[in-house]
């Protein structure tokens, strides 16, 4: 076999390994209702705790509250476990930390959320697949099937692989395929979350 075949096989195997890592690697355990357990931040995990007594305000009907949140019974099977609070956390690129405070005098919980800062560099797992249809400047019609796989991000610049198969529709159809490496900038609509 020629050297070119070895290079193409190596590229294919590298892309296959990347795809498998991005699809299966590092996924949190999510229940069928779509919930995942949040872990305690490592910074406070070893700190000692105290036990308090007194009134704590929890939802009277845990199952009804869970149903309103779209949860299933499997999300809390322990009868000794009450639902104290819930919070809607805004989406952030690097995730967020939620902290729940309990007011001793009122028995009520308060949740605050802080977005984690985005690191300068990260390996990315984003995949985009789509179909395009539209008109061309020559008055014809065009259709395309495309896929984009993100590999890495440096600041706001993303390195991706892009593939497209397109065809010109009409009396003189022409089909074309492209495989490209792409560098693109992406900007957040929500300042302060980055």
């Amino acid at each position: 076999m020629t050297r070119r075949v070895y290079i193409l096989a190596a590229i294919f195997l590298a892309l296959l390994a990347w795809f498998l890592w991005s699809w299966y690697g590092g996924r949190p355990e999510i229940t069928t209702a779509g919930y995942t357990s949040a872990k305690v931040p490592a910074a406070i995990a070893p700190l000692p705790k105290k036990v308090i007594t007194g009134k704590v305000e929890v939802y009277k009907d845990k199952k009804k509250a869970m149903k309103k949140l779209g949860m299933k019974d499997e999300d809390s099977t322990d009868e000794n476990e009450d639902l104290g609070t819930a919070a809607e956390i805004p989406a952030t690129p690097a995730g967020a930390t939620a902290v729940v405070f309990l007011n001793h005098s009122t028995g009520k919980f308060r949740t605050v959320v802080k977005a984690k800062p985005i690191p300068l560099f990260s390996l990315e797992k984003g995949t985009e697949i789509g179909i395009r249809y539209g008109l061309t400047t020559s008055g014809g019609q065009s259709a395309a099937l495309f896929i984009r796989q993100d590999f890495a991000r440096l600041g706001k610049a993303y390195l991706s692989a892009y593939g497209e198969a397109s065809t010109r529709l009409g009396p003189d159809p022409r089909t074309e395929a492209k495989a490209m490496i792409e560098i693109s900038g992406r900007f957040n609509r929500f300042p302060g979350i980055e």
Side-chain angles (χ1 to χ4, degrees):
M1 289 205 272
T2 67
R3 180 180 167 157
R4 186 177 194 169
V5 172
Y6 287 124
I7 291 172
L8 289 174
I11 291 171
F12 174 78
L13 290 175
L15 288 173
L16 178 63
W18 185 271
F19 175 78
L20 292 173
W21 173 78
S22 67
W23 191 258
Y24 295 106
R27 285 188 166 195
E29 185 176 323
I30 300 174
T31 67
T32 56
Y35 284 87
T36 183
S37 293
K39 62 182 180 180
V40 175
I44 66 166
L47 297 178
K49 296 180 182 177
K50 66 179 180 178
V51 177
I52 60 169
T53 57
K55 293 183 179 182
V56 176
E57 188 177 273
V58 296
Y59 286 88
K60 188 174 183 179
D61 188 344
K62 176 175 86 169
K63 292 199 183 286
K64 183 177 181 181
M66 287 173 57
K67 190 174 183 178
K68 293 269 188 189
L69 293 169
M71 300 176 84
K72 297 186 177 180
D73 291 341
E74 68 190 51
D75 289 316
S76 177
T77 56
D78 188 348
E79 292 300 321
N80 294 318
E81 189 174 63
D82 288 309
L83 198 154
T85 189
E88 291 183 4
I89 298 174
T92 62
T97 300
V99 179
V100 180
F101 292 99
L102 172 63
N103 185 314
H104 291 257
S105 60
T106 64
K108 294 184 180 183
F109 295 95
R110 180 175 67 94
T111 304
V112 294
V113 178
K114 180 182 179 187
K116 292 181 182 177
I118 299 173
L120 179 63
F121 174 81
S122 67
L123 295 176
E124 297 293 316
K125 297 182 181 183
T127 302
E128 179 183 2
I129 298 175
I131 299 172
R132 292 189 180 107
Y133 169 80
L135 303 175
T136 66
T137 56
S138 62
Q141 299 177 41
S142 178
L145 173 66
F146 67 92
I147 183 168
R148 176 184 289 112
Q149 174 66 53
D150 294 336
F151 292 117
R153 181 191 54 77
L154 179 62
K156 291 181 185 256
Y158 286 77
L159 174 66
S160 310
Y162 178 85
E164 177 180 301
S166 62
T167 185
R168 188 169 68 181
L169 306 173
D172 183 25
R174 290 192 191 155
T175 303
E176 181 181 42
K178 300 175 185 177
M180 299 183 226
I181 297 296
E182 172 185 292
I183 296 177
S184 61
R186 300 182 194 168
F187 303 92
N188 194 343
R189 296 180 303 160
F190 308 104
I193 291 183
E194 304 182 294

